[in-house]
Amino acid sequence: MDARQGVPVILEPEAPHGRALILLGLGALLGIGLAASGALLPSTSNELGPGTIAQVGDRSIPTAVYELARDRLAADKRNPMQDDDRRHILRRLVEEELLIQRGEAIGLVASEPSVRKAIAASMIQSIVAQSESEQPSERDLRRFYAENPGYFTPQGTLHVRQVAFSPREGESPEARALRRRHAEDALDADMGFGEVQARWGDEPLLPIPDSPLPANKLRQYLGPSLTEAVAALSPGERTGWVDTGSGGRILLLVAAEPAATPSFEDVVEQVSVAYGRHSADLALRDYLDELWKDADIRFAPGAPLP
């Protein structure tokens, strides 16, 4: 189904038997979508009104729905449309409505979780589609960009090196403390971190790549607290001894590249996409708020009130 039009996607079967299976397998779900989108309209007249191609019980099938389904099938077909194709489309629409009405009669629509979810999803798609049809002006996009720079600013990078220490088999705490002092003295004397690590350190479980990394990537190696600590340093500074429970480490911030906010012109497509999503979220929230306001909703004593 096309959620924006409320029109079923009519599949062209390969054989009559395949057509029957498609009708039985998909008819209920497509009919639910039609009912939720308002394509099938209640009618109390004994005669078909203008713009109605069929009536099933007290609901009419608009001619426009039939024509859209017909045109879609015609666009997908390799061969010209035949009368059998047109009859198939109309029969499909009627059978979908028969299925949805039967589902209502036996309580399926109200009780079956998958059906309820399908209806809710169809409603959400309809609301979002209406929001997406409204094209924002450049002024709207520029205002959204200015109010939400974090959406479009890539992360800065941190280049970090470390000397890691782990307990060694048979090593006393005093011996490990001596290794640490040797390492710190060597770093104070401007020995490179790589050489200090090779002489007195131990291979860490997760070696940090010797290259600039975004903060969220660095957290995978250091965790959030150490990442924040090293981000607070200036390039060339190092942390003191950091106890990690089973060992410890010393971290050096080699370089830091701050995040740079791109110009509006460089990210205008991203702004447009983000604006559309934001507008759709607001439209759905406003619609739901109106439903809440107009509905008679009651809660049992002790229920967690939303």
Side-chain angles (χ1 to χ4, degrees):
M1 171 183 300
D2 188 317
R4 301 186 184 187
Q5 301 290 346
V7 178
V9 177
I10 305 296
L11 303 178
E12 182 180 4
E14 297 180 354
H17 180 64
R19 172 176 295 180
L21 290 178
I22 292 171
L23 284 171
L24 292 175
L26 301 181
L29 184 56
L30 293 177
I32 289 164
L34 284 169
S37 65
L40 301 177
L41 307 175
S43 174
T44 58
S45 173
N46 292 327
E47 297 182 1
L48 299 186
T52 298
I53 194 170
Q55 184 167 312
V56 184
D58 63 348
R59 290 184 188 158
S60 61
I61 300 175
T63 304
V65 170
Y66 162 78
E67 290 175 344
L68 283 171
R70 178 201 62 196
D71 293 346
R72 292 201 171 178
L73 178 59
D76 290 338
K77 280 178 61 68
R78 292 185 296 271
N79 301 318
M81 288 282 289
Q82 303 294 324
D83 288 342
D84 281 348
D85 297 315
R86 299 180 183 91
R87 285 191 289 268
H88 164 61
I89 294 168
L90 186 54
R91 182 179 181 86
R92 176 70 170 275
L93 293 174
V94 170
E95 289 177 340
E96 287 169 358
E97 176 56 17
L98 289 171
L99 286 168
I100 193 65
Q101 290 188 23
R102 179 56 180 164
E104 291 173 346
I106 64 176
L108 182 64
V109 171
S111 62
E112 176 60 35
S114 61
V115 176
R116 292 168 62 86
K117 289 179 181 178
I119 293 175
S122 180
M123 286 298 302
I124 290 172
Q125 289 174 353
S126 175
I127 297 163
V128 169
Q130 183 176 355
S131 171
E132 290 175 344
S133 68
E134 301 172 0
Q135 295 299 318
S137 66
E138 181 176 332
R139 182 178 179 181
D140 293 331
L141 294 178
R142 285 186 178 276
R143 182 174 63 250
F144 181 75
Y145 166 80
E147 292 173 351
N148 301 276
Y151 284 7
F152 316 108
T153 302
Q155 294 186 50
T157 60
L158 301 170
H159 187 175
V160 176
R161 291 175 182 154
Q162 69 175 339
V163 177
F165 298 87
S166 300
R168 296 177 178 177
E169 186 176 356
E171 183 181 48
S172 67
E174 293 77 14
R176 185 156 63 94
L178 181 60
R179 276 200 297 133
R180 168 187 160 186
R181 285 198 299 272
H182 286 321
E184 290 177 319
D185 290 343
L187 292 173
D188 288 339
D190 292 330
M191 182 180 289
F193 257 61
E195 185 176 354
V196 173
Q197 168 70 23
R199 288 192 180 190
W200 295 286
D202 300 292
E203 186 67 22
L205 183 62
L206 288 176
I208 302 173
D210 193 13
S211 60
L213 297 175
N216 62 350
K217 186 68 174 178
L218 188 61
R219 287 190 192 96
Q220 298 178 16
Y221 297 94
L222 297 179
S225 59
L226 285 182
T227 300
E228 290 179 10
V230 78
L233 301 175
S234 298
E237 288 186 330
R238 70 175 192 262
T239 67
W241 171 262
V242 179
D243 196 330
T244 59
S246 61
R249 64 182 75 190
I250 302 170
L251 301 169
L252 168 72
L253 180 62
V254 179
E257 186 69 29
T261 302
S263 68
F264 172 80
E265 288 73 17
D266 288 340
V267 291
V268 62
E269 291 186 7
Q270 298 176 39
V271 175
S272 181
V273 171
Y275 182 92
R277 291 174 179 168
H278 178 72
S279 297
D281 289 343
L282 289 180
L284 179 58
R285 184 68 266 162
D286 289 345
Y287 192 93
L288 291 171
D289 287 344
E290 286 299 314
L291 292 179
W292 273 85
K293 183 174 67 177
D294 296 337
D296 180 15
I297 304 174
R298 302 177 185 181
F299 296 98
L305 300 182

